[in-house]
Amino acid sequence: MSGNAASASAVPADAPAGSAASGSAPPADLPPADLPSGGAASGGGSSGIVKPLPAEWFVAHGTNAEMRWEALRAADGSAAVGRHVPVERFFVRNHTGTPLIDPGAWRLRLYGSGLRGAPTAERPVEFDLAGLRALPETRISAVIECAGNGRDYFRRQQGQSVPGTPWTLGGIGSAAWRGVRLAEVLRAAGLTGEAVDVLPTGLDANYVVDGVDHGPVRRPLPVAKALDDALLAYEMNGAPLTPDHGAPLRLVVPGWVGIASIKWVGTIEVADHPLHSPWNTDFYRMFGPDHPPGGGEPLTAQVVRSAFELAPGAVLEAGRSHRLHGRSWSGAAAVRRVEVSSDGGRTWRRAALHGGSHADDWARWSVDWRPERPGRYELRARATDRRGNSQPERAVFNREGYLFGAVVAHPVTVV
Ligand SMILES: Nc1nc2c(c(=O)[nH]1)N[C@H]1C(S)=C(S)[C@@H](COP(=O)(O)O)O[C@H]1N2
Ligand SMILES: [Mo]
């Protein structure tokens, strides 16, 4: 690479294996990562995450922070979070730690055989932030969701043990993103008709797990998706990106697993042949008895899921009506219908959708429930999208615990 102007300060490469894909034990009891050097003292503790992670908003998982669904409701039951999750409450999924990048020195560098003149990594096509902001802007509303979201339910509901971050359902958030379409930047950089794959690479530290250095986080994106709706975002919820969410520039790939949405993008290779990285060969593919012998295709679209804005084990009063709130989403289409059961899945009632339902974003809903008798109950929510995808009773096992899309049993106690 020509002059490392991006000056990323990153954590050492021996950060804990918080990876959805690592073959090691869940990160909860791993030694803490070192802080990013050079100014991350404003927060972060041992997680490598810069922003504060108050326990009422987040569950800490090593280098990652899960959003608590119950925190979307205020104590009086009113909404604490609208369609978009405020940046300070947004979940964080880092393979290593948040790098601090000087936006003035930063450049986006594009190179490869899929660009006119096949610029090399040493003599790339460059954009600075002002150059990107000068291109036509696009605003979208979209969720980013980790492929491992819901992973712990393989264990809790199906008795299957899987390694990696034990997310419940809080590895997701919706935000308003503003930026420039990746298509726009690729064309400005001289995209040819021969291009096949696009490889954005993050400026965070190399991902090292079990003594293997996998290099920086990077994952090839087929050119068709790159040209369709991928966004190079410089703003989140109306303000410049913050360090934890990819400042100064991140990819947002609507509908796809979160790993596609590379943060802290420094380079983009554009190739006239298929590209590979551990993130589309070893990680983020399905392995196991129900998948092809060599593993499934690299994961793309997310599954349908639903969550209640309610603490697990919440206590509710008998003999009165409670308004239960939740959200549902799908990587394939907008949510069409949500049903809720309070009797173990025997009977289902339609929930009312609020605020519309849009592709790439979650739909908010509510349903009233009046439990007459004290006791323990399990609430279930099940969504169906406009393509007819719904949530099964059981998720298909895969070794790394990706894409748990089955209906989740949410325990509550009525007193
Ligand atoms: N460079 C880089 N990009 C990355 C990651 C990372 O560790 N490094 N994590 C990915 C994963 S697995 C997810 S789920 C999303 C999480 O985005 P967020 O931290 O803004 O919520 O970022 C993706 N982009
Ligand atoms: Mo992820």
Side-chain angles (χ1 to χ4, degrees), residues 20 64-65 90-97 99 144-148 167 171-173 177 201-205 216-218 236 244-246 250-251 257-265 279 284:
N64 312 301
F90 207 91
F91 89 102
V92 181
R93 194 300 193 230
N94 283 347
H95 282 68
T96 59
I144 288 184
E145 183 186 27
C146 194
W167 303 103
I172 183 168
W177 308 97
T201 297
L203 291 166
D204 38 346
V217 176
R218 63 203 188 284
M236 179 178 183
D244 295 314
H245 299 289
R250 81 172 300 163
L251 207 52
V257 287
I259 186 58
S261 295
I262 295 293
K263 303 193 276 190
W264 315 296
V265 178
W279 284 267
Y284 299 97

mmCIF file of all heavy atoms in Angstrom, residues 20 64-65 90-97 99 144-148 167 171-173 177 201-205 216-218 236 244-246 250-251 257-265 279 284, ligand 1:
data_model
loop_
_atom_site.group_PDB
_atom_site.id
_atom_site.type_symbol
_atom_site.label_atom_id
_atom_site.label_comp_id
_atom_site.label_asym_id
_atom_site.label_seq_id
_atom_site.Cartn_x
_atom_site.Cartn_y
_atom_site.Cartn_z
ATOM 1 N N ALA A 20 -17.818 -14.817 15.970
ATOM 2 C CA ALA A 20 -18.901 -15.732 15.673
ATOM 3 C C ALA A 20 -18.340 -16.996 15.054
ATOM 4 O O ALA A 20 -18.975 -18.023 15.047
ATOM 5 C CB ALA A 20 -19.858 -15.076 14.700
ATOM 6 N N ASN A 64 -17.637 -7.581 21.989
ATOM 7 C CA ASN A 64 -18.942 -7.244 21.416
ATOM 8 C C ASN A 64 -19.895 -6.760 22.507
ATOM 9 O O ASN A 64 -19.722 -7.085 23.673
ATOM 10 C CB ASN A 64 -19.556 -8.478 20.737
ATOM 11 C CG ASN A 64 -18.562 -9.176 19.821
ATOM 12 O OD1 ASN A 64 -18.062 -8.564 18.881
ATOM 13 N ND2 ASN A 64 -18.253 -10.426 20.110
ATOM 14 N N ALA A 65 -20.913 -6.023 22.116
ATOM 15 C CA ALA A 65 -21.909 -5.547 23.073
ATOM 16 C C ALA A 65 -23.296 -5.755 22.476
ATOM 17 O O ALA A 65 -23.597 -5.245 21.389
ATOM 18 C CB ALA A 65 -21.677 -4.072 23.393
ATOM 19 N N PHE A 90 -26.637 1.439 20.145
ATOM 20 C CA PHE A 90 -26.559 0.472 19.036
ATOM 21 C C PHE A 90 -25.584 -0.651 19.381
ATOM 22 O O PHE A 90 -24.500 -0.403 19.910
ATOM 23 C CB PHE A 90 -26.091 1.204 17.777
ATOM 24 C CG PHE A 90 -26.548 0.593 16.482
ATOM 25 C CD1 PHE A 90 -27.732 0.991 15.881
ATOM 26 C CD2 PHE A 90 -25.773 -0.379 15.848
ATOM 27 C CE1 PHE A 90 -28.141 0.445 14.673
ATOM 28 C CE2 PHE A 90 -26.178 -0.937 14.642
ATOM 29 C CZ PHE A 90 -27.371 -0.526 14.045
ATOM 30 N N PHE A 91 -25.931 -1.877 19.073
ATOM 31 C CA PHE A 91 -25.044 -3.011 19.373
ATOM 32 C C PHE A 91 -23.713 -2.860 18.627
ATOM 33 O O PHE A 91 -23.650 -2.183 17.595
ATOM 34 C CB PHE A 91 -25.721 -4.335 19.009
ATOM 35 C CG PHE A 91 -25.498 -4.818 17.594
ATOM 36 C CD1 PHE A 91 -24.589 -5.830 17.315
ATOM 37 C CD2 PHE A 91 -26.199 -4.256 16.529
ATOM 38 C CE1 PHE A 91 -24.379 -6.279 16.005
ATOM 39 C CE2 PHE A 91 -25.996 -4.705 15.219
ATOM 40 C CZ PHE A 91 -25.083 -5.715 14.959
ATOM 41 N N VAL A 92 -22.683 -3.494 19.182
ATOM 42 C CA VAL A 92 -21.355 -3.446 18.540
ATOM 43 C C VAL A 92 -20.848 -4.871 18.371
ATOM 44 O O VAL A 92 -20.905 -5.680 19.308
ATOM 45 C CB VAL A 92 -20.330 -2.664 19.390
ATOM 46 C CG1 VAL A 92 -18.971 -2.622 18.676
ATOM 47 C CG2 VAL A 92 -20.822 -1.248 19.665
ATOM 48 N N ARG A 93 -20.357 -5.136 17.187
ATOM 49 C CA ARG A 93 -19.732 -6.424 16.941
ATOM 50 C C ARG A 93 -18.357 -6.145 16.299
ATOM 51 O O ARG A 93 -18.282 -5.707 15.143
ATOM 52 C CB ARG A 93 -20.631 -7.259 16.020
ATOM 53 C CG ARG A 93 -20.294 -8.758 15.931
ATOM 54 C CD ARG A 93 -18.930 -9.003 15.419
ATOM 55 N NE ARG A 93 -18.689 -10.378 15.054
ATOM 56 C CZ ARG A 93 -17.632 -11.062 15.463
ATOM 57 N NH1 ARG A 93 -16.759 -10.530 16.293
ATOM 58 N NH2 ARG A 93 -17.432 -12.284 15.018
ATOM 59 N N ASN A 94 -17.312 -6.342 17.097
ATOM 60 C CA ASN A 94 -15.941 -6.127 16.642
ATOM 61 C C ASN A 94 -15.158 -7.435 16.705
ATOM 62 O O ASN A 94 -15.170 -8.102 17.741
ATOM 63 C CB ASN A 94 -15.214 -5.133 17.569
ATOM 64 C CG ASN A 94 -15.605 -3.688 17.316
ATOM 65 O OD1 ASN A 94 -16.231 -3.358 16.306
ATOM 66 N ND2 ASN A 94 -15.237 -2.817 18.240
ATOM 67 N N HIS A 95 -14.444 -7.762 15.649
ATOM 68 C CA HIS A 95 -13.557 -8.930 15.704
ATOM 69 C C HIS A 95 -12.367 -8.661 16.627
ATOM 70 O O HIS A 95 -11.867 -9.563 17.279
ATOM 71 C CB HIS A 95 -13.044 -9.281 14.310
ATOM 72 C CG HIS A 95 -14.047 -10.019 13.469
ATOM 73 N ND1 HIS A 95 -15.199 -9.441 13.004
ATOM 74 C CD2 HIS A 95 -14.066 -11.297 13.023
ATOM 75 C CE1 HIS A 95 -15.875 -10.346 12.298
ATOM 76 N NE2 HIS A 95 -15.210 -11.474 12.299
ATOM 77 N N THR A 96 -11.868 -7.427 16.635
ATOM 78 C CA THR A 96 -10.718 -7.097 17.493
ATOM 79 C C THR A 96 -11.103 -5.916 18.381
ATOM 80 O O THR A 96 -11.601 -6.109 19.472
ATOM 81 C CB THR A 96 -9.447 -6.821 16.663
ATOM 82 O OG1 THR A 96 -9.688 -5.748 15.771
ATOM 83 C CG2 THR A 96 -9.048 -8.060 15.869
ATOM 84 N N GLY A 97 -10.871 -4.704 17.920
ATOM 85 C CA GLY A 97 -11.228 -3.534 18.702
ATOM 86 C C GLY A 97 -11.443 -2.369 17.765
ATOM 87 O O GLY A 97 -11.037 -2.404 16.602
ATOM 88 N N PRO A 99 -10.772 0.837 15.926
ATOM 89 C CA PRO A 99 -9.623 1.692 15.620
ATOM 90 C C PRO A 99 -10.034 3.157 15.586
ATOM 91 O O PRO A 99 -11.197 3.467 15.307
ATOM 92 C CB PRO A 99 -9.202 1.219 14.227
ATOM 93 C CG PRO A 99 -10.478 0.778 13.592
ATOM 94 C CD PRO A 99 -11.375 0.268 14.709
ATOM 95 N N ILE A 144 -28.761 -3.469 10.654
ATOM 96 C CA ILE A 144 -27.565 -4.292 10.560
ATOM 97 C C ILE A 144 -27.734 -5.365 11.615
ATOM 98 O O ILE A 144 -28.089 -5.065 12.759
ATOM 99 C CB ILE A 144 -26.293 -3.459 10.784
ATOM 100 C CG1 ILE A 144 -26.095 -2.573 9.551
ATOM 101 C CG2 ILE A 144 -25.084 -4.369 11.019
ATOM 102 C CD1 ILE A 144 -24.844 -1.756 9.552
ATOM 103 N N GLU A 145 -27.556 -6.600 11.217
ATOM 104 C CA GLU A 145 -27.758 -7.713 12.140
ATOM 105 C C GLU A 145 -26.667 -8.750 11.975
ATOM 106 O O GLU A 145 -26.336 -9.148 10.849
ATOM 107 C CB GLU A 145 -29.115 -8.380 11.890
ATOM 108 C CG GLU A 145 -29.394 -9.494 12.884
ATOM 109 C CD GLU A 145 -30.655 -10.282 12.584
ATOM 110 O OE1 GLU A 145 -31.060 -10.351 11.410
ATOM 111 O OE2 GLU A 145 -31.216 -10.847 13.537
ATOM 112 N N CYS A 146 -26.118 -9.191 13.083
ATOM 113 C CA CYS A 146 -25.072 -10.203 13.041
ATOM 114 C C CYS A 146 -25.649 -11.555 12.616
ATOM 115 O O CYS A 146 -26.740 -11.927 13.041
ATOM 116 C CB CYS A 146 -24.422 -10.330 14.413
ATOM 117 S SG CYS A 146 -22.887 -11.261 14.344
ATOM 118 N N ALA A 147 -24.880 -12.280 11.808
ATOM 119 C CA ALA A 147 -25.300 -13.628 11.392
ATOM 120 C C ALA A 147 -25.483 -14.546 12.592
ATOM 121 O O ALA A 147 -26.249 -15.495 12.558
ATOM 122 C CB ALA A 147 -24.281 -14.229 10.433
ATOM 123 N N GLY A 148 -24.756 -14.227 13.671
ATOM 124 C CA GLY A 148 -24.833 -15.051 14.875
ATOM 125 C C GLY A 148 -25.938 -14.614 15.835
ATOM 126 O O GLY A 148 -26.081 -15.201 16.916
ATOM 127 N N TRP A 167 -25.045 -14.551 21.570
ATOM 128 C CA TRP A 167 -26.105 -13.542 21.407
ATOM 129 C C TRP A 167 -27.454 -14.149 21.737
ATOM 130 O O TRP A 167 -27.730 -15.278 21.347
ATOM 131 C CB TRP A 167 -26.185 -13.077 19.949
ATOM 132 C CG TRP A 167 -24.975 -12.503 19.312
ATOM 133 C CD1 TRP A 167 -24.150 -13.135 18.421
ATOM 134 C CD2 TRP A 167 -24.453 -11.166 19.438
ATOM 135 N NE1 TRP A 167 -23.150 -12.276 18.003
ATOM 136 C CE2 TRP A 167 -23.315 -11.068 18.612
ATOM 137 C CE3 TRP A 167 -24.852 -10.055 20.184
ATOM 138 C CZ2 TRP A 167 -22.565 -9.897 18.493
ATOM 139 C CZ3 TRP A 167 -24.095 -8.885 20.070
ATOM 140 C CH2 TRP A 167 -22.965 -8.820 19.234
ATOM 141 N N GLY A 171 -28.322 -8.730 18.780
ATOM 142 C CA GLY A 171 -27.236 -8.427 17.832
ATOM 143 C C GLY A 171 -27.786 -7.774 16.589
ATOM 144 O O GLY A 171 -27.453 -8.154 15.464
ATOM 145 N N ILE A 172 -28.634 -6.789 16.793
ATOM 146 C CA ILE A 172 -29.290 -6.092 15.675
ATOM 147 C C ILE A 172 -29.603 -4.664 16.071
ATOM 148 O O ILE A 172 -29.841 -4.358 17.249
ATOM 149 C CB ILE A 172 -30.601 -6.806 15.260
ATOM 150 C CG1 ILE A 172 -31.227 -6.096 14.047
ATOM 151 C CG2 ILE A 172 -31.585 -6.903 16.427
ATOM 152 C CD1 ILE A 172 -32.338 -6.832 13.371
ATOM 153 N N GLY A 173 -29.650 -3.779 15.073
ATOM 154 C CA GLY A 173 -30.124 -2.423 15.269
ATOM 155 C C GLY A 173 -30.500 -1.824 13.931
ATOM 156 O O GLY A 173 -29.985 -2.231 12.893
ATOM 157 N N TRP A 177 -29.081 5.732 7.513
ATOM 158 C CA TRP A 177 -27.721 5.828 6.972
ATOM 159 C C TRP A 177 -27.701 6.813 5.822
ATOM 160 O O TRP A 177 -28.614 6.819 4.995
ATOM 161 C CB TRP A 177 -27.262 4.451 6.467
ATOM 162 C CG TRP A 177 -27.408 3.355 7.473
ATOM 163 C CD1 TRP A 177 -28.444 2.459 7.568
ATOM 164 C CD2 TRP A 177 -26.506 3.036 8.550
ATOM 165 N NE1 TRP A 177 -28.241 1.613 8.633
ATOM 166 C CE2 TRP A 177 -27.071 1.939 9.246
ATOM 167 C CE3 TRP A 177 -25.292 3.572 8.989
ATOM 168 C CZ2 TRP A 177 -26.450 1.370 10.363
ATOM 169 C CZ3 TRP A 177 -24.680 2.998 10.089
ATOM 170 C CH2 TRP A 177 -25.258 1.911 10.771
ATOM 171 N N THR A 201 -11.969 -3.885 2.617
ATOM 172 C CA THR A 201 -11.122 -4.301 3.741
ATOM 173 C C THR A 201 -11.167 -3.243 4.829
ATOM 174 O O THR A 201 -11.055 -2.045 4.544
ATOM 175 C CB THR A 201 -9.673 -4.520 3.268
ATOM 176 O OG1 THR A 201 -9.663 -5.583 2.313
ATOM 177 C CG2 THR A 201 -8.757 -4.912 4.426
ATOM 178 N N GLY A 202 -11.315 -3.699 6.090
ATOM 179 C CA GLY A 202 -11.364 -2.798 7.230
ATOM 180 C C GLY A 202 -9.968 -2.389 7.667
ATOM 181 O O GLY A 202 -8.979 -3.083 7.402
ATOM 182 N N LEU A 203 -9.897 -1.238 8.356
ATOM 183 C CA LEU A 203 -8.616 -0.742 8.871
ATOM 184 C C LEU A 203 -8.407 -1.139 10.330
ATOM 185 O O LEU A 203 -7.527 -0.617 10.999
ATOM 186 C CB LEU A 203 -8.553 0.780 8.721
ATOM 187 C CG LEU A 203 -8.456 1.273 7.275
ATOM 188 C CD1 LEU A 203 -8.750 2.764 7.201
ATOM 189 C CD2 LEU A 203 -7.095 0.955 6.687
ATOM 190 N N ASP A 204 -9.230 -2.064 10.822
ATOM 191 C CA ASP A 204 -9.012 -2.556 12.184
ATOM 192 C C ASP A 204 -7.844 -3.547 12.181
ATOM 193 O O ASP A 204 -7.349 -3.937 11.127
ATOM 194 C CB ASP A 204 -10.297 -3.153 12.789
ATOM 195 C CG ASP A 204 -11.175 -3.951 11.829
ATOM 196 O OD1 ASP A 204 -10.972 -3.863 10.601
ATOM 197 O OD2 ASP A 204 -12.072 -4.672 12.301
ATOM 198 N N ALA A 205 -7.414 -3.940 13.371
ATOM 199 C CA ALA A 205 -6.252 -4.833 13.499
ATOM 200 C C ALA A 205 -6.542 -6.187 12.856
ATOM 201 O O ALA A 205 -7.704 -6.579 12.699
ATOM 202 C CB ALA A 205 -5.925 -5.026 14.976
ATOM 203 N N PRO A 216 -6.656 -8.582 8.070
ATOM 204 C CA PRO A 216 -7.722 -7.638 8.433
ATOM 205 C C PRO A 216 -9.095 -8.154 7.999
ATOM 206 O O PRO A 216 -9.198 -8.949 7.058
ATOM 207 C CB PRO A 216 -7.353 -6.370 7.662
ATOM 208 C CG PRO A 216 -6.496 -6.827 6.534
ATOM 209 C CD PRO A 216 -5.806 -8.088 6.978
ATOM 210 N N VAL A 217 -10.135 -7.691 8.678
ATOM 211 C CA VAL A 217 -11.496 -8.131 8.367
ATOM 212 C C VAL A 217 -11.868 -7.664 6.960
ATOM 213 O O VAL A 217 -11.807 -6.475 6.648
ATOM 214 C CB VAL A 217 -12.496 -7.592 9.414
ATOM 215 C CG1 VAL A 217 -13.927 -7.973 9.036
ATOM 216 C CG2 VAL A 217 -12.155 -8.123 10.806
ATOM 217 N N ARG A 218 -12.246 -8.594 6.124
ATOM 218 C CA ARG A 218 -12.574 -8.288 4.725
ATOM 219 C C ARG A 218 -13.419 -9.419 4.175
ATOM 220 O O ARG A 218 -13.226 -10.570 4.513
ATOM 221 C CB ARG A 218 -11.294 -8.115 3.902
ATOM 222 C CG ARG A 218 -10.453 -9.381 3.835
ATOM 223 C CD ARG A 218 -8.991 -9.077 3.538
ATOM 224 N NE ARG A 218 -8.222 -10.296 3.288
ATOM 225 C CZ ARG A 218 -7.823 -11.147 4.240
ATOM 226 N NH1 ARG A 218 -8.098 -10.951 5.501
ATOM 227 N NH2 ARG A 218 -7.148 -12.231 3.902
ATOM 228 N N MET A 236 -24.667 8.209 10.325
ATOM 229 C CA MET A 236 -25.599 7.288 10.990
ATOM 230 C C MET A 236 -26.519 8.148 11.846
ATOM 231 O O MET A 236 -26.025 8.937 12.663
ATOM 232 C CB MET A 236 -24.781 6.321 11.845
ATOM 233 C CG MET A 236 -25.553 5.295 12.633
ATOM 234 S SD MET A 236 -24.364 4.217 13.516
ATOM 235 C CE MET A 236 -25.494 3.066 14.287
ATOM 236 N N ASP A 244 -16.937 3.400 16.862
ATOM 237 C CA ASP A 244 -17.368 2.011 17.021
ATOM 238 C C ASP A 244 -18.177 1.492 15.830
ATOM 239 O O ASP A 244 -18.262 0.287 15.616
ATOM 240 C CB ASP A 244 -18.211 1.860 18.289
ATOM 241 C CG ASP A 244 -17.409 2.131 19.536
ATOM 242 O OD1 ASP A 244 -16.282 1.607 19.637
ATOM 243 O OD2 ASP A 244 -17.902 2.886 20.402
ATOM 244 N N HIS A 245 -18.793 2.384 15.095
ATOM 245 C CA HIS A 245 -19.663 1.944 14.000
ATOM 246 C C HIS A 245 -19.053 2.195 12.631
ATOM 247 O O HIS A 245 -19.759 2.149 11.628
ATOM 248 C CB HIS A 245 -21.054 2.544 14.173
ATOM 249 C CG HIS A 245 -21.676 2.094 15.462
ATOM 250 N ND1 HIS A 245 -22.105 0.801 15.666
ATOM 251 C CD2 HIS A 245 -21.835 2.732 16.642
ATOM 252 C CE1 HIS A 245 -22.537 0.668 16.917
ATOM 253 N NE2 HIS A 245 -22.379 1.830 17.529
ATOM 254 N N GLY A 246 -17.731 2.446 12.618
ATOM 255 C CA GLY A 246 -17.041 2.409 11.326
ATOM 256 C C GLY A 246 -16.458 3.697 10.816
ATOM 257 O O GLY A 246 -16.081 3.763 9.650
ATOM 258 N N ARG A 250 -18.231 3.305 6.368
ATOM 259 C CA ARG A 250 -18.524 1.875 6.434
ATOM 260 C C ARG A 250 -19.446 1.490 5.297
ATOM 261 O O ARG A 250 -20.143 2.345 4.723
ATOM 262 C CB ARG A 250 -19.204 1.502 7.748
ATOM 263 C CG ARG A 250 -20.698 1.797 7.752
ATOM 264 C CD ARG A 250 -21.417 1.260 8.969
ATOM 265 N NE ARG A 250 -21.307 -0.184 9.102
ATOM 266 C CZ ARG A 250 -21.557 -0.841 10.224
ATOM 267 N NH1 ARG A 250 -21.938 -0.191 11.294
ATOM 268 N NH2 ARG A 250 -21.456 -2.147 10.271
ATOM 269 N N LEU A 251 -19.467 0.217 5.018
ATOM 270 C CA LEU A 251 -20.419 -0.315 4.072
ATOM 271 C C LEU A 251 -21.708 -0.668 4.821
ATOM 272 O O LEU A 251 -21.646 -1.119 5.973
ATOM 273 C CB LEU A 251 -19.805 -1.563 3.448
ATOM 274 C CG LEU A 251 -20.235 -1.984 2.059
ATOM 275 C CD1 LEU A 251 -20.125 -0.849 1.063
ATOM 276 C CD2 LEU A 251 -19.368 -3.151 1.597
ATOM 277 N N VAL A 257 -26.241 -10.552 6.013
ATOM 278 C CA VAL A 257 -25.585 -10.735 7.303
ATOM 279 C C VAL A 257 -24.631 -9.571 7.577
ATOM 280 O O VAL A 257 -23.987 -9.054 6.652
ATOM 281 C CB VAL A 257 -24.820 -12.082 7.341
ATOM 282 C CG1 VAL A 257 -25.809 -13.238 7.446
ATOM 283 C CG2 VAL A 257 -23.911 -12.254 6.128
ATOM 284 N N GLY A 258 -24.542 -9.187 8.871
ATOM 285 C CA GLY A 258 -23.794 -7.998 9.265
ATOM 286 C C GLY A 258 -22.343 -7.970 8.794
ATOM 287 O O GLY A 258 -21.800 -6.896 8.543
ATOM 288 N N ILE A 259 -21.731 -9.128 8.662
ATOM 289 C CA ILE A 259 -20.326 -9.164 8.266
ATOM 290 C C ILE A 259 -20.113 -8.546 6.873
ATOM 291 O O ILE A 259 -19.009 -8.099 6.546
ATOM 292 C CB ILE A 259 -19.763 -10.608 8.310
ATOM 293 C CG1 ILE A 259 -18.242 -10.631 8.047
ATOM 294 C CG2 ILE A 259 -20.497 -11.526 7.342
ATOM 295 C CD1 ILE A 259 -17.400 -9.816 9.002
ATOM 296 N N ALA A 260 -21.154 -8.481 6.054
ATOM 297 C CA ALA A 260 -21.016 -7.848 4.741
ATOM 298 C C ALA A 260 -20.789 -6.341 4.879
ATOM 299 O O ALA A 260 -20.170 -5.713 4.015
ATOM 300 C CB ALA A 260 -22.252 -8.117 3.885
ATOM 301 N N SER A 261 -21.286 -5.789 5.984
ATOM 302 C CA SER A 261 -21.242 -4.333 6.180
ATOM 303 C C SER A 261 -19.930 -3.926 6.841
ATOM 304 O O SER A 261 -19.892 -3.532 8.009
ATOM 305 C CB SER A 261 -22.446 -3.890 7.014
ATOM 306 O OG SER A 261 -23.647 -4.134 6.307
ATOM 307 N N ILE A 262 -18.866 -4.032 6.084
ATOM 308 C CA ILE A 262 -17.508 -3.793 6.599
ATOM 309 C C ILE A 262 -17.373 -2.355 7.121
ATOM 310 O O ILE A 262 -17.781 -1.401 6.465
ATOM 311 C CB ILE A 262 -16.456 -4.078 5.494
ATOM 312 C CG1 ILE A 262 -16.471 -5.572 5.110
ATOM 313 C CG2 ILE A 262 -15.056 -3.639 5.928
ATOM 314 C CD1 ILE A 262 -15.998 -6.529 6.181
ATOM 315 N N LYS A 263 -16.822 -2.253 8.332
ATOM 316 C CA LYS A 263 -16.598 -0.948 8.968
ATOM 317 C C LYS A 263 -15.185 -0.474 8.654
ATOM 318 O O LYS A 263 -14.323 -1.257 8.280
ATOM 319 C CB LYS A 263 -16.775 -1.079 10.487
ATOM 320 C CG LYS A 263 -18.151 -1.623 10.896
ATOM 321 C CD LYS A 263 -18.431 -1.453 12.389
ATOM 322 C CE LYS A 263 -17.844 -2.561 13.243
ATOM 323 N NZ LYS A 263 -18.332 -2.495 14.651
ATOM 324 N N TRP A 264 -14.939 0.823 8.860
ATOM 325 C CA TRP A 264 -13.592 1.400 8.702
ATOM 326 C C TRP A 264 -12.974 1.003 7.360
ATOM 327 O O TRP A 264 -11.819 0.583 7.294
ATOM 328 C CB TRP A 264 -12.681 0.950 9.859
ATOM 329 C CG TRP A 264 -13.342 1.040 11.200
ATOM 330 C CD1 TRP A 264 -13.770 2.178 11.818
ATOM 331 C CD2 TRP A 264 -13.679 -0.045 12.089
ATOM 332 N NE1 TRP A 264 -14.345 1.861 13.032
ATOM 333 C CE2 TRP A 264 -14.296 0.513 13.218
ATOM 334 C CE3 TRP A 264 -13.505 -1.438 12.025
ATOM 335 C CZ2 TRP A 264 -14.751 -0.264 14.275
ATOM 336 C CZ3 TRP A 264 -13.957 -2.211 13.084
ATOM 337 C CH2 TRP A 264 -14.569 -1.627 14.187
ATOM 338 N N VAL A 265 -13.754 1.120 6.294
ATOM 339 C CA VAL A 265 -13.254 0.674 4.989
ATOM 340 C C VAL A 265 -12.049 1.522 4.589
ATOM 341 O O VAL A 265 -12.102 2.761 4.626
ATOM 342 C CB VAL A 265 -14.355 0.787 3.911
ATOM 343 C CG1 VAL A 265 -13.806 0.375 2.555
ATOM 344 C CG2 VAL A 265 -15.551 -0.073 4.281
ATOM 345 N N TRP A 279 -13.352 -14.876 5.414
ATOM 346 C CA TRP A 279 -14.739 -14.516 5.737
ATOM 347 C C TRP A 279 -15.748 -15.015 4.704
ATOM 348 O O TRP A 279 -16.941 -14.897 4.922
ATOM 349 C CB TRP A 279 -14.843 -13.008 5.975
ATOM 350 C CG TRP A 279 -14.287 -12.637 7.322
ATOM 351 C CD1 TRP A 279 -14.989 -12.520 8.492
ATOM 352 C CD2 TRP A 279 -12.914 -12.366 7.656
ATOM 353 N NE1 TRP A 279 -14.143 -12.202 9.523
ATOM 354 C CE2 TRP A 279 -12.865 -12.095 9.046
ATOM 355 C CE3 TRP A 279 -11.715 -12.338 6.934
ATOM 356 C CZ2 TRP A 279 -11.667 -11.792 9.708
ATOM 357 C CZ3 TRP A 279 -10.533 -12.037 7.595
ATOM 358 C CH2 TRP A 279 -10.511 -11.767 8.966
ATOM 359 N N TYR A 284 -18.733 -17.670 8.318
ATOM 360 C CA TYR A 284 -19.993 -17.216 7.707
ATOM 361 C C TYR A 284 -20.428 -18.105 6.545
ATOM 362 O O TYR A 284 -20.912 -17.642 5.520
ATOM 363 C CB TYR A 284 -19.902 -15.728 7.314
ATOM 364 C CG TYR A 284 -19.642 -14.874 8.531
ATOM 365 C CD1 TYR A 284 -18.360 -14.457 8.860
ATOM 366 C CD2 TYR A 284 -20.683 -14.548 9.391
ATOM 367 C CE1 TYR A 284 -18.111 -13.715 10.015
ATOM 368 C CE2 TYR A 284 -20.445 -13.817 10.541
ATOM 369 C CZ TYR A 284 -19.162 -13.404 10.844
ATOM 370 O OH TYR A 284 -18.932 -12.686 11.991
HETATM 371 N N1 LIG B 1 -13.749 -3.925 9.706
HETATM 372 C C1 LIG B 1 -14.713 -4.605 10.339
HETATM 373 N N2 LIG B 1 -15.956 -4.545 9.870
HETATM 374 C C2 LIG B 1 -16.952 -5.236 10.479
HETATM 375 C C3 LIG B 1 -16.683 -6.040 11.612
HETATM 376 C C4 LIG B 1 -15.362 -6.060 12.123
HETATM 377 O O1 LIG B 1 -15.051 -6.688 13.147
HETATM 378 N N3 LIG B 1 -14.401 -5.339 11.453
HETATM 379 N N4 LIG B 1 -17.708 -6.779 12.160
HETATM 380 C C5 LIG B 1 -18.818 -7.105 11.243
HETATM 381 C C6 LIG B 1 -19.922 -7.769 11.869
HETATM 382 S S1 LIG B 1 -19.709 -9.438 12.143
HETATM 383 C C7 LIG B 1 -21.099 -7.121 12.136
HETATM 384 S S2 LIG B 1 -22.438 -7.965 12.733
HETATM 385 C C8 LIG B 1 -21.241 -5.666 11.920
HETATM 386 C C9 LIG B 1 -21.642 -4.969 13.216
HETATM 387 O O2 LIG B 1 -21.796 -3.580 13.034
HETATM 388 P P1 LIG B 1 -21.907 -2.608 14.299
HETATM 389 O O3 LIG B 1 -20.759 -2.919 15.217
HETATM 390 O O4 LIG B 1 -21.895 -1.234 13.773
HETATM 391 O O5 LIG B 1 -23.205 -2.925 14.989
HETATM 392 O O6 LIG B 1 -20.038 -5.078 11.442
HETATM 393 C C10 LIG B 1 -19.317 -5.861 10.522
HETATM 394 N N5 LIG B 1 -18.213 -5.108 9.987
#
